[in-house]
Amino acid sequence: MFQKILVANRGEIALRIICACKELGIATVAVYSEADRNSLHVRFADEAVCIGPPRSSESYLNIPQVISAAEITNVDAIHPGYGFLSENANFAKVCEASEITFIGPTAEVIEMMGEKDRARREVKAAGLPTVPGSDGIVEGEDQLAKEATKIGYPLILKAVAGGGGRGMRIVRKRDELLSMYQTARSEAQQAFGTPDVYAEKFIEHPRHIEFQVLGDQHGKVIHLGERECTIQRRHQKLLEESPSPAMDAKSRKELGAKVVRALEKIGYTNAGTVEFLMDEDGSIYFIEMNTRIQVEHPVTELVTGVDLIKAQIRIAAGERLEEAVGEMTFSGHAIECRINAEDPDTFVPSAGRITTFQAPGGTGVRVDSAAYADAVIPPYYDSMIAKLIVKGRDRAEAIGRMKRALEMFVIEGIKTSIPLHRKILADPDFSAGKFDTHFIEKLLGTNGK
């Protein structure tokens, strides 16, 4: 087992990793920007190193600074959390070259899954269903026209290196095709440094479902069930739950088995999430894979009893899945609400000082956060400040418990998304499990604005 781990992240996930390390008896090193000097992950780590100014590009995304901090503190491994460098294949390679274990998949697999057209080809060859589309990058207008004829309308153009909804354009009719292609390429170039895009069928009213997986270094992969991540705004998830109300035991078993076989063929190791879209008739298609721990991992932890962060660390240290995971039993229903520092009506970020922070408690309630009264929420990073997670015996109890917990969550000094979550939980369509990715637009009457 590792003696010391550097946590290459900030906020609640950095604190979450530090907690797991403490329970495993592993010393920790926090890295922080000048804006995070008073953060809880800095306070509770055994050592802390400032790696630069507030901007991410000069601190949390600065590979030389992170590696320097790891070397001067003599760590065995680095846990990247999510975001920042967690899916950076070059960072994983630099860790390997520096003889520091990267707690995640291999650089080769990160690279493979980061190239979305290649990822689609690989998982399709390994047996997963994929959305009908081009067999790779669309090379020019002639090929685009041929692909559009084959796929039909509506179709969607996606940046090969994309994410977060950038470099994506929906084409609903033929006379929009070329202009949308040029727009998608231009945005992809600006956002990701490459203009390459691919085309696929656009599913009008999908649900977003993902499977949590773990793979060890001995060739074995398991899945830990699925999460429903359909409640989102502009491709950013707001609320997640497990299991999905759209899946039954039979479909879960069948798709889970396909996921496991596919990732064993690919040689996947450590934690990852395989993401799918489900169309209105229940057909399900692979869209991408995230080669890291997810923000929403706690809902899986609550319904399986598995500590995913500890499992990541144990797997990276060479343990077999049986040792790393222990006994796993699926039970109950869990829901997570992402509490963001933003105006619940306009979604404008709300940086500033928290004057009151009173988290809810009680049976079946968990709060993952690095926020506290008098903490300052800086304007430089993601707006999420807490994750409120509840578990119930079934979905109805989980919904009731989440409503109660949201009412008892007091955050003052800044605006938060708590009022929005209360609206979501009160909606009869949500309670009935009848929703798609346009749910928030319908709830707020915004048409995506």
Side-chain angles (χ1 to χ4, degrees), residues 12 35 49 53-54 59 64-65 86-87 128 143 153 166 181 191 211 214 232 254 266 307 344 407 423:
E12 68 85 17
V49 179
S59 52
Q65 288 288 79
S86 62
E87 293 181 286
L128 287 183
Q143 186 191 350
Y153 296 93
R166 292 175 295 176
Y181 176 62
F211 269 73
L214 287 171
Q232 44 185 267
E254 290 176 352
I266 289 168
D307 187 318
E407 288 177 4
K423 283 184 184 178

Side-chain angles (χ1 to χ4, degrees), residues 160-173:
V160 167
R166 292 175 295 176
M168 294 169 57
R169 286 294 181 274
I170 300 165
V171 184
R172 298 190 176 277
K173 50 189 179 180

